Amino acid sequence: MTISTTAPISEDTLRQALADSYRRLANLGLNTGSAGNISCRFDGGALISPSGADAHNIDAQAIVSITMDGENRSPGIPSSEWSMHTAIYRHYPQAMAVVHTHSDACVAVSAQRRPIPAFHYMLAGFGGDEVPCAAYATFGTDALAASAVEALAGHTACLLANHGMVCHGPSLEKAVANAAKLETLARQYWMSAQLGTPVVLDAAEMATVRDRYRSYGKARLSRTPGTV
C-alpha cells in the first residue's frame, strides 16, 4: 500500500495494510514463523507488528500503536525490534515504512559481517556503492538500533550482522519491494561468489547508474553514444 505524505489515511486502513504486508513478506519467503517485523509512521509515532506474530495469526487488531519513545497507545506488545524502527524514523524523515526480515540470503551474507559490494548495478537503488552491514548487537536492544541507524546513512537498506536485514521506504509497498529486491541481490551475490570473487563495478559507473535512475520510469533513457 502507498502511504501519501500529504493526504491523511485512517488508522484502520494502515492497520489492515500492515497486516496484509506482513503476510506478503511470508508469502514471498522473506520471513518464517514469527521472525521479522514491519511498521509505518503514524500520528507522531508508529504502527508496528506485534511481538510473536506470524502470517497465520496477525490481523489489523493485533497491530500495536506506539510513540517514538516506545510507549503503547493501544493494547498489545510491540515487536521486540520497536526501538530499531523508531530510531530509523527519528533519524530519517523520508522513511515512512520500515521492514526487517530474516530472509535466507541476507542472513547468510550478514553472517560474513561484510557488505554486499557493487557486483550488480541495481545496488545503486539503495544508495551508495554497496549495501553496508551494520555491526553486530543483540536483537531488540538500543545498541542494535544505533548500529542500524549508522549503517543506513546514505542508504535505504543494510544488513544486520549475524541477523538479517532492515530497509525503509516512502510507502509500505516500496519498503516491501525493497526487502524483496535486496534478498534477490543477496542471493545472486552469494551465487556469484561460489564461482570466485565477483567483479565489482567502480565508483564512476555506479555514479552513472544513479544519475540514470533519476529519470528511470519517467523518460526514455538515451543510448550510450556509439552503441546500436
Side-chain angles (χ1 to χ4, degrees):
M1 175 184 178
T2 300
I3 299 175
S4 170
T5 57
T6 55
I9 298 177
S10 72
E11 180 174 352
D12 287 345
T13 299
L14 287 175
R15 284 173 169 272
Q16 187 60 57
L18 278 164
D20 292 344
S21 296
Y22 191 97
R23 283 190 290 270
R24 177 161 172 72
L25 290 172
N27 291 337
L28 289 170
L30 301 181
N31 277 327
T32 58
S34 61
N37 29 76
I38 188 169
S39 71
C40 66
R41 285 187 188 270
F42 175 70
D43 192 24
L47 293 172
I48 190 167
S49 54
S51 179
D54 64 42
H56 302 291
N57 63 26
I58 195 168
D59 57 24
Q61 289 69 42
I63 301 298
V64 184
S65 179
I66 59 173
T67 68
M68 286 297 181
D69 294 323
E71 297 296 324
N72 275 48
R73 302 188 297 193
S74 70
I77 300 174
S79 164
S80 61
E81 300 293 4
W82 68 264
S83 61
M84 179 169 66
H85 288 249
T86 56
I88 291 170
Y89 291 133
R90 288 195 302 270
H91 285 82
Y92 300 108
Q94 71 273 28
M96 297 301 292
V98 173
V99 172
H100 164 51
T101 78
H102 294 184
S103 49
D104 291 348
C106 285
V107 169
V109 178
S110 79
Q112 299 292 325
R113 298 194 179 188
R114 63 189 185 194
I116 302 176
F119 81 103
H120 194 291
Y121 74 86
M122 287 185 69
L123 264 75
F126 297 111
D129 296 342
E130 64 179 21
V131 172
C133 184
Y136 179 78
T138 305
F139 79 94
T141 62
D142 288 341
L144 178 60
S147 181
V149 164
E150 181 179 1
L152 284 169
H155 302 81
T156 57
C158 71
L159 301 177
L160 303 172
N162 302 90
H163 188 155
M165 60 75 67
V166 66
C167 68
H168 64 78
S171 67
L172 273 173
E173 180 181 51
K174 181 62 175 175
V176 170
N178 281 344
K181 181 169 76 170
L182 181 56
E183 174 64 7
T184 296
L185 287 165
R187 183 174 64 252
Q188 291 168 342
Y189 174 62
W190 173 80
M191 293 171 68
S192 179
Q194 306 311 300
L195 302 175
T197 302
V199 175
V200 174
L201 299 174
D202 62 25
E205 176 59 19
M206 292 300 283
T208 298
V209 170
R210 283 192 295 274
D211 184 62
R212 288 174 72 82
Y213 265 164
R214 293 188 183 96
S215 58
Y216 183 76
K218 301 175 184 177
R220 179 176 294 183
L221 294 175
S222 61
R223 292 192 299 268
T224 301
T227 63
V228 177

